[in-house]
Amino acid sequence: MKYEAVIGLEIHSELKTKTKIFCGCATTFGAEQNTHVCPVCLGLPGVLPVINKRVVEFAIRAGLALNCTINKFSKFDRKNYYYPDLPKNFQTSQYDLPIAEKGYVDIDVDGQKKRIRITRIHMEEDAGKLVHSGNTIKDSATSNVDYNRTGVPLIEIVSEPDMATPQEARVYMEKVKSILEYIDVSNCRMEEGNLRADLNVSLRPVGTTALGTKAEMKNINSFKAVEDALAYEIQRQQEVLEDGGHLVQETRTWDPDKGITLSMRTKEAAHDYRYMPEPDLVPIVTTDEEIAAYRKALPELPDARRQRLETEDGLSSYDAGIITGSRELAEYFDAAIVDGADAKLTANWMMGDLAKNLNAEGKTIQDSPVDAKRLGQMIMLISKGTISSKIAKKVFVEMWTSPDAPEKIVKDKGLVQITDTKAIEGIVDAVIAANPKPVADYKGGNTKAIGALVGQVMKQSKGKANPGVVNQLLKAKLDT
Amino acid sequence: MVMDGESMKVTKKDVEDVAVLSRLAIPEEEKEQYTEQLNAFLEYVDNLSAVPTDDIKPTAHVLQLSNVFREDVVKPSLGRELALSNAPLKEDGYFKVPKILED
């Protein structure tokens, strides 16, 4: 029997507010343990939470950017469970009236478009961090708890089970990350846990519609792990089914070092969160006017920006997709072409020499030693014919370690392209005289032989001769 | 729970399940007693079923208030010593807790 995978994601994203969701404690990452805590986030008796206005604004912005309907009446609920990273013994979350629902994201996998539906987006508080005394939670006699992260605001974005491959899941998560970056509601630093996903996956025979028994893998915090964990789990479930076994619904952990998933089942009874309305927080009411104002204030989103780069700047769909895939790249591109640099050439340089150099030094585009303005200036020098593309590579290397403008580097290093016909003519004559064989070949009808002569002239001019002029001169002299 | 005509009936198993979720150790001999008491509560509350509520929206909150917000401004936290002062167990500035998952 052939099986197909059914995948749904719950993406948790920490919002970039200064303070926690229900109290004034700072959210800064990396502080000393238990220094960003207060009676509210520690769940001490008698305290009253008050929601941070920015959290609601960010959640609504995310809802609109992900094509959701905003619920004009939204409320909080308590999700009850016992776990020591949760000092109150319940998580303040949203159950039946989340801030946003029924949205979608369009993804593009190998040129195929697919719409992934979003079930809901709700606001909730993050939990604390556990440090186990042993290697794993199970072999630790005690654990230590740091509550700094407790109460950091989260939005949880729940998708429909609309993905069929690990690659689709990865592309979907990349797209969500990119949208959250564009609307500036999360830092999305995955290594700091700003963005992490719970993966739900089950198999069913191809051609059937009923959902199979699913496994859930929690807190996956890299794109590679999303793809690897799903690929492993699909394979594992397929083997169980093919051997005639049956699957149990369970939570499994992904071990990235061993590349396997492991069952986390315990003697604990099945989940029963006993959701109840949160009596300490009043509902959130949002008017149509407010929603319209939030919508109007949204920046240009990745899909629209990609479209613009294709139609207005003439980039290929592939190039436009890569450049708009991250807000930083897209902004670099816009800043590079703003003074008139050729768009296609700029895209080529960004994805060529710039990307190569950044990768080699493990730098991001924000830390690029060559800023957008100077790259744009250099590209304009190429278009004007001041330097050739070949010389530009030298200028680029110079710019990488020098703060100088490209014009200054070209002048200081004597890299200006020679377009003066007289200066080039002398070299052309010398090359024709010194290379009788290609000259004879060319005259004998092998027009390609001119390439060798152009190469010689370029070499003798140290790359500074304008190749167009060289070609013209050679042809003029040889054809007569 | 068992449906008995119009109303629900709490079983001994429900009492055991709720006790586990609430981390309560209920002696075997008291389980019958709690089952009866819970059923008595529910029967009493069941009087509300007689009130017609078809046209009434569910109550989200007893107060007629909405949109009580706080500005995103940092306030001083407790300080670690104070935060940990009531903790039964602590270690290196952390709250220390016993074994979390059973084997």
Side-chain angles (χ1 to χ4, degrees):
Chain A
M1 197 180 290
K2 260 186 89 76
Y3 292 96
E4 64 180 5
V6 179
I7 301 166
L9 261 61
E10 291 161 24
I11 297 177
H12 291 87
S13 171
E14 282 182 356
L15 300 175
K16 54 188 282 192
T17 54
K18 291 190 185 74
T19 64
K20 293 185 179 183
I21 183 167
F22 300 125
C23 64
C25 288
T27 52
T28 338
F29 180 80
E32 291 257 316
Q33 61 271 25
N34 294 309
T35 52
H36 291 173
V37 293
C38 76
V40 172
C41 56
L42 286 174
L44 300 187
V47 294
L48 267 184
V50 184
I51 189 163
N52 182 340
K53 200 174 175 186
R54 295 286 277 169
V55 172
V56 179
E57 289 172 7
F58 283 175
I60 293 176
R61 212 190 285 177
L64 293 172
L66 294 165
N67 304 298
C68 290
T69 305
I70 303 302
N71 276 327
K72 287 188 271 180
F73 187 89
S74 180
K75 72 171 173 67
F76 283 95
D77 299 272
R78 292 182 174 185
K79 179 181 181 180
N80 297 281
Y81 62 95
Y82 288 96
Y83 207 68
D85 63 3
L86 196 69
K88 296 184 293 188
N89 291 335
F90 62 83
Q91 180 189 29
T92 306
S93 181
Q94 298 195 280
Y95 183 55
D96 57 338
L97 292 168
I99 191 73
E101 54 190 337
K102 298 192 188 79
Y104 64 86
V105 162
D106 288 329
I107 61 167
D108 195 331
V109 177
D110 297 334
Q112 291 283 322
K113 282 213 187 326
K114 187 167 183 180
R115 176 158 291 185
I116 309 298
R117 291 168 299 158
I118 288 168
T119 318
R120 55 186 273 147
I121 300 177
H122 62 256
M123 300 178 276
E124 62 185 24
E125 55 185 346
D126 208 345
K129 197 176 117 193
L130 296 170
V131 182
H132 304 300
S133 56
N135 289 324
T136 66
I137 186 165
K138 283 188 179 173
D139 62 27
S140 300
T142 61
S143 298
N144 286 338
V145 197
D146 170 11
Y147 288 118
N148 282 348
R149 202 178 60 188
T150 304
V152 168
L154 289 179
I155 47 172
E156 179 175 334
I157 303 163
V158 182
S159 85
E160 292 288 315
D162 284 350
M163 288 152 276
T165 65
Q167 194 193 2
E168 284 180 11
R170 179 200 176 111
V171 172
Y172 164 74
M173 190 164 170
E174 284 173 346
K175 188 73 178 275
V176 169
K177 174 175 185 268
S178 143
I179 291 170
L180 296 177
E181 284 172 345
Y182 269 65
I183 60 171
D184 208 20
V185 300
S186 172
N187 287 320
C188 292
R189 290 190 198 107
M190 297 180 83
E191 68 285 359
E192 292 180 10
N194 288 165
L195 193 72
R196 43 192 207 261
D198 297 346
L199 318 173
N200 289 285
V201 57
S202 62
L203 296 188
R204 67 182 170 201
V206 171
T208 61
T209 51
L211 293 172
T213 306
K214 69 170 182 179
E216 179 173 23
M217 288 161 287
K218 286 184 180 289
N219 284 324
I220 307 293
N221 67 352
S222 81
F223 293 127
K224 185 175 186 300
V226 166
E227 234 176 325
D228 291 351
L230 285 170
Y232 176 87
E233 188 55 25
I234 290 167
Q235 179 70 25
R236 184 191 72 84
Q237 292 185 14
Q238 186 161 335
E239 282 168 14
V240 172
L241 293 172
E242 279 168 355
D243 289 350
H246 71 278
L247 295 158
V248 281
Q249 181 164 335
E250 60 181 348
T251 300
R252 300 179 68 86
T253 52
W254 167 244
D255 182 333
D257 297 327
K258 295 198 182 103
I260 56 170
T261 65
L262 289 166
S263 177
M264 269 187 84
R265 266 180 308 151
T266 63
K267 289 176 192 166
E268 189 71 36
H271 288 312
D272 181 351
Y273 292 129
R274 292 154 293 145
Y275 279 99
M276 56 176 269
E278 167 59 78
D280 288 343
L281 291 162
V282 297
I284 293 159
V285 174
T286 315
T287 63
D288 285 325
E289 291 71 35
E290 284 167 326
I291 294 170
Y294 281 121
R295 194 186 297 280
K296 213 174 153 207
L298 280 182
E300 185 182 34
L301 296 174
D303 285 345
R305 197 158 192 158
R306 179 175 184 170
Q307 192 62 45
R308 174 166 65 83
L309 263 51
E310 284 179 43
T311 52
E312 288 179 24
D313 299 317
L315 296 194
S316 70
S317 171
Y318 177 81
D319 290 357
I322 294 204
I323 286 180
T324 57
S326 101
R327 177 181 171 159
E328 285 78 20
L329 271 183
E331 282 175 354
Y332 187 101
F333 176 80
D334 279 357
I337 64 166
V338 71
D339 292 326
D342 180 77
K344 278 189 203 169
L345 212 47
T346 304
N348 289 345
W349 274 89
M350 282 177 66
M351 290 183 293
D353 289 48
L354 181 62
K356 212 182 329 162
N357 277 276
L358 290 174
N359 285 344
E361 296 185 13
K363 288 190 164 120
T364 61
I365 189 91
Q366 293 111 296
D367 317 318
S368 172
V370 175
D371 59 82
K373 195 177 166 67
R374 288 199 300 153
L375 184 72
Q377 288 169 342
M378 188 197 83
I379 284 161
M380 286 190 279
L381 290 179
I382 302 173
S383 300
K384 273 193 288 185
T386 311
I387 53 173
S388 64
S389 294
K390 208 170 163 189
I391 293 289
K393 285 186 179 284
K394 287 186 191 169
V395 176
F396 187 83
V397 170
E398 289 294 328
M399 284 204 292
W400 198 260
T401 49
S402 146
D404 289 343
E407 288 92 335
K408 184 168 177 345
I409 291 172
V410 167
K411 201 180 277 176
D412 289 356
K413 302 271 168 188
L415 296 170
V416 181
Q417 182 163 252
I418 308 167
T419 43
D420 173 9
T421 316
K422 280 209 179 112
I424 298 174
E425 208 171 351
I427 306 175
V428 167
D429 288 339
V431 166
I432 289 175
N435 295 277
K437 185 160 187 318
V439 171
D441 287 349
Y442 179 83
K443 287 191 167 167
N446 179 9
T447 50
K448 279 187 189 157
I450 201 167
L453 298 170
V454 173
Q456 280 299 314
V457 176
M458 293 305 293
K459 195 175 167 193
Q460 294 201 15
S461 74
K462 299 196 175 71
K464 289 193 282 185
N466 180 316
V469 177
V470 172
N471 231 310
Q472 244 174 1
L473 278 174
L474 274 168
K475 275 191 181 158
K477 285 182 186 288
L478 294 172
D479 288 346
T480 48
Chain B
M1 293 212 246
V2 178
M3 293 299 287
D4 171 23
E6 287 293 293
S7 61
M8 286 182 283
K9 235 173 150 42
V10 175
T11 64
K12 189 174 147 195
K13 177 151 192 323
D14 292 329
V15 171
E16 287 168 347
D17 288 348
V18 171
V20 168
L21 289 170
S22 314
R23 302 299 192 271
L24 293 173
I26 297 181
E28 189 60 37
E29 62 272 19
E30 290 175 26
K31 285 180 186 166
E32 277 305 326
Q33 185 193 348
Y34 287 125
T35 309
E36 277 167 35
Q37 287 179 347
L38 283 171
N39 272 314
F41 294 152
L42 288 180
E43 269 167 44
Y44 178 66
V45 173
D46 215 29
N47 286 326
L48 288 172
S49 310
V51 182
T53 54
D54 291 350
D55 299 333
I56 297 173
K57 272 195 189 171
T59 305
H61 203 280
V62 292
L63 299 176
Q64 292 298 310
L65 275 177
S66 62
N67 297 352
V68 176
F69 294 130
R70 177 176 61 77
E71 293 301 318
D72 187 23
V73 177
V74 177
K75 296 252 174 73
S77 293
L78 261 191
R80 187 155 68 196
E81 286 315 304
L82 196 52
L84 287 163
S85 56
N86 284 336
L89 286 170
K90 53 196 140 182
E91 185 172 84
D92 305 329
Y94 290 98
F95 291 85
K96 189 175 180 179
V97 297
K99 193 170 180 60
I100 297 171
L101 286 187
E102 295 165 48
D103 294 318

